[in-house]
Amino acid sequence: MSNQVETDGAYIRYEFSEFAGKLEPVKYEMPVPQGNEVLLKVDYCGVCHSDVHVHDGYYGLGNGKKLNLGDRGIRLPVTLGHEVVGTIVAVGEDAIDASVGEQRLIYPWIGCGECSVCQRGEENLCGKPASLGIFKPGGYSEYITVPHPRYLVDLGDLNPANASLLACSGLTTFSAIKKIQPLHEEEYVIVIGCGGLGQLAIRTLRSDGISNIVGVDVSEDKREIARKAGAKVVLDPRSLDATDTLTREADGNCMAVLDFVGNEQTVEFGLKVLKKGGKLVVIGLHGGELRYPIPFLVTKAVTIIGSYTGTLAEMKELVTFANQHDLLDIPVEIRALERAESAVEDLSNGKVSGRIILKN
């Protein structure tokens, strides 16, 4: 079989040339993969909250302070998109484990491949990242180049559109859940933020046999979705007695909090409801500062964990898990790639109840 299919001489990427700027279609010459590189036609690409933060160009640090992403190595122009399913159209001469015509989920959290972090399989934590859609061109594009076949994962029997979410939303959720286990059957997990990631978390927890789940969200619609996804209890954190209600409903047994919002209010809420020895895992990046009395940290023996995406091994484990369970049945809207700009805007403005997936 040939190591490439016939493609036109140019393709389109949707990129922005200044932070918070317009996503514009830009024509590029079609790349020819070299060595271990693999070229894929993008079939589907999820639109993630991380895309919003990268597009804005900063993370909020609280008290008006910002972490400028340009100072963190992100270079303009940027082609967003790290939740990608694509079909292989060409391979480099050394890419022996990839064949033209195969549809694959792409692991985007690529590191330098040489440091101690990468060598122990945690490329997502590499200090010299080459993540697709952030530091390298991503899936808001007609085609995408991946540096090695090892980053391509067989989907099995999964719906390829929804399966794109496993590269970030699903992986981030799966990795965070692994950090709070094992749990006793009587212990409760609190899921703060019941948008796309929170819904996936609830489904994953239920599929893993964990039934004591509380969904927390300010949106009545999202609380109802959380209930339908399997949350035993849902509540609005703005109610005056929210923490007391939650503690009572969980019989004082809140062992873990998964915070998919990650602002000062949600972190404070999570720490208030945790029992002794509990774990708070912060996944969301809405920003702010963490303030917590050190004696409480010690005497309550709580663990505060930051969780950033997940490893390649975890993504492979997740794909196997998803093939065995009904994990991806969440509200999804398919939009044409040409509408990437509107997708980022709608997500930024809180107009998305589930997930948007761009289709090429």
Side-chain angles (χ1 to χ4, degrees), residues 9-275:
Y11 73 108
I12 297 295
R13 297 206 306 245
Y14 285 80
E15 63 183 36
F16 57 92
S17 56
E18 61 180 0
F19 290 116
K22 288 285 187 180
L23 272 64
E24 303 280 3
V26 178
K27 184 177 291 188
Y28 283 87
E29 183 178 348
M30 187 66 69
V32 177
Q34 306 293 320
N36 283 306
E37 291 179 337
V38 181
L39 177 67
L40 300 94
K41 174 187 174 294
V42 176
D43 298 325
Y44 301 98
C45 182
V47 180
C48 178
H49 261 291
S50 296
D51 294 338
V52 174
H53 293 301
V54 174
H55 179 245
D56 288 342
Y58 68 91
Y59 294 127
L61 300 179
N63 294 323
K65 295 181 289 186
K66 296 179 179 180
L67 175 63
N68 188 309
L69 297 184
D71 296 337
R72 302 289 289 181
I74 296 179
R75 296 290 174 256
L76 299 167
V78 173
T79 302
L80 295 168
H82 49 266
E83 296 182 333
V84 183
V85 167
T87 300
I88 299 173
V89 296
V91 300
E93 62 274 14
D94 298 324
I96 58 175
D97 295 326
S99 299
V100 169
E102 294 175 337
Q103 189 176 59
R104 293 289 184 262
L105 175 66
I106 299 173
Y107 179 78
W109 310 108
I110 297 167
C112 70
E114 299 176 353
C115 67
S116 59
V117 174
C118 288
Q119 291 301 306
R120 66 170 175 256
E122 297 180 337
E123 287 192 60
N124 57 309
L125 303 180
C126 178
K128 298 179 180 178
S131 308
L132 303 179
I134 301 176
F135 297 97
K136 299 290 184 181
Y140 289 19
S141 174
E142 294 177 331
Y143 292 87
I144 188 170
T145 298
V146 176
H148 197 282
R150 68 172 175 269
Y151 301 115
L152 305 178
V153 178
D154 190 341
L155 297 174
D157 296 325
L158 297 176
N159 175 316
N162 289 32
S164 64
L165 303 179
L166 296 180
C168 180
S169 304
L171 176 60
T172 297
T173 299
F174 191 72
S175 183
I177 289 172
K178 291 188 68 153
K179 292 176 173 67
I180 64 172
Q181 293 178 320
L183 290 166
H184 191 274
E185 61 181 11
E186 68 184 24
E187 293 172 337
Y188 276 72
V189 179
I190 317 305
V191 176
I192 300 178
C194 298
L197 269 74
Q199 294 163 32
L200 273 171
I202 293 168
R203 288 187 173 276
T204 303
L205 289 163
R206 288 302 302 261
S207 297
D208 205 27
I210 298 169
S211 59
N212 291 333
I213 306 167
V214 179
V216 177
D217 203 292
V218 297
S219 164
E220 183 177 354
D221 290 342
K222 290 180 182 177
R223 291 198 299 273
E224 184 56 31
I225 292 173
R227 190 189 302 277
K228 291 178 179 177
K232 179 179 287 189
V233 178
V234 296
L235 59 85
D236 186 338
R238 298 172 299 182
S239 60
L240 292 177
D241 60 347
T243 55
D244 291 338
T245 299
L246 194 157
T247 302
R248 183 174 62 253
E249 290 284 352
D251 196 26
N253 217 357
C254 299
M255 192 63 188
V257 174
L258 300 173
D259 184 355
F260 292 101
V261 178
N263 65 26
E264 294 183 17
Q265 293 75 28
T266 58
V267 168
E268 181 181 0
F269 182 89
L271 288 169
K272 280 183 178 178
V273 300
L274 276 181
K275 64 178 292 187

